[in-house]
């Protein structure tokens, strides 16, 4: 999995960029955990404890993460709600379609673990620089 991390010194915002088909994973991490180190540590502890044939799920405020046999699916709750609610009669035959881009993404369990670990190293490094812990 390819990824890039950014920190904007002017705004103080962090960004995590992934390929378009995996952008939902970045949105999941930033929306659910923001920069909460403790939350990421709990997530990593759960993920590290999974075997190759394990199942686990995380239900967040807006996103869910599902792990099944080493595969990860991240899905926005709006997609889950639509699966259980029929479309109103007026929309049932229409050409309208839900744009699922950025609402779900998949990756391997090892890739997700590596991504979250590297993200935490990046965030900690930027915070260290901001706090004067690293001299240049």
């Amino acid at each position: 999995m390819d990824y890039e991390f950014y920190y904007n010194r002017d705004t103080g915002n962090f960004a995590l960029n992934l390929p378009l088909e995996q952008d939902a994973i970045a949105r999941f991490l930033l929306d659910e955990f923001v920069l909460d180190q403790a939350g990421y540590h709990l997530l990593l502890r759960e993920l590290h404890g999974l075997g190759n044939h394990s199942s686990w799920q995380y239900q967040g405020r807006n996103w869910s993460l599902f792990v099944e046999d080493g595969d990860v699916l991240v899905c926005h709750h709006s997609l889950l709600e639509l699966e259980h609610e029929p479309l109103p009669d007026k929309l049932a035959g229409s050409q309208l379609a839900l744009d699922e881009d950025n609402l779900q993404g998949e990756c391997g369990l090892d890739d997700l673990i590596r991504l979250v670990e590297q993200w935490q190293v990046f965030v900690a490094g930027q915070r260290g620089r901001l706090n004067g812990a690293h001299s240049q």
Side-chain angles (χ1 to χ4, degrees):
M1 175 186 319
D2 295 325
Y3 47 83
E4 294 179 312
F5 306 138
Y6 298 99
Y7 174 71
N8 184 324
R9 291 181 183 172
D10 295 333
T11 64
N13 292 327
F14 286 84
L16 168 61
N17 290 336
L18 296 173
L20 184 59
E21 65 272 7
Q22 295 172 324
D23 186 56
I25 296 168
R27 293 184 60 211
F28 159 74
L29 293 172
L30 292 173
D31 289 353
E32 294 296 331
F33 299 101
V34 189
L35 299 176
D36 176 21
Q37 295 283 43
Y40 282 113
H41 288 297
L42 290 173
L43 176 64
L44 282 170
R45 184 172 54 196
E46 290 290 338
L47 296 175
H48 277 293
L50 296 174
N52 287 336
H53 302 290
S54 297
S55 296
W56 180 73
Q57 70 180 25
Y58 169 86
Q59 296 288 341
R61 292 178 309 275
N62 298 307
W63 296 86
S64 293
L65 177 138
F66 303 94
V67 178
E68 184 73 39
D69 296 329
D71 294 321
V72 175
L73 171 67
V74 169
C75 185
H76 193 269
H77 289 172
S78 62
L79 290 180
L80 299 175
E81 292 167 5
L82 285 176
E83 288 179 9
H84 301 295
E85 295 179 19
L87 289 175
D89 290 337
K90 291 182 181 180
L91 298 178
S94 74
Q95 297 297 321
L96 293 177
L98 178 66
D99 181 9
E100 294 181 11
D101 289 345
N102 303 324
L103 295 179
Q104 70 178 11
E106 298 178 21
C107 68
L109 177 59
D110 291 337
D111 289 333
L112 180 62
I113 290 171
R114 194 169 19 263
L115 171 67
V116 174
E117 289 173 342
Q118 291 299 310
W119 174 244
Q120 291 306 284
V121 168
F122 175 78
V123 170
Q126 292 301 318
R127 284 184 170 167
R129 281 189 253 273
L130 293 173
N131 294 332
H134 298 287
S135 59
Q136 293 191 12

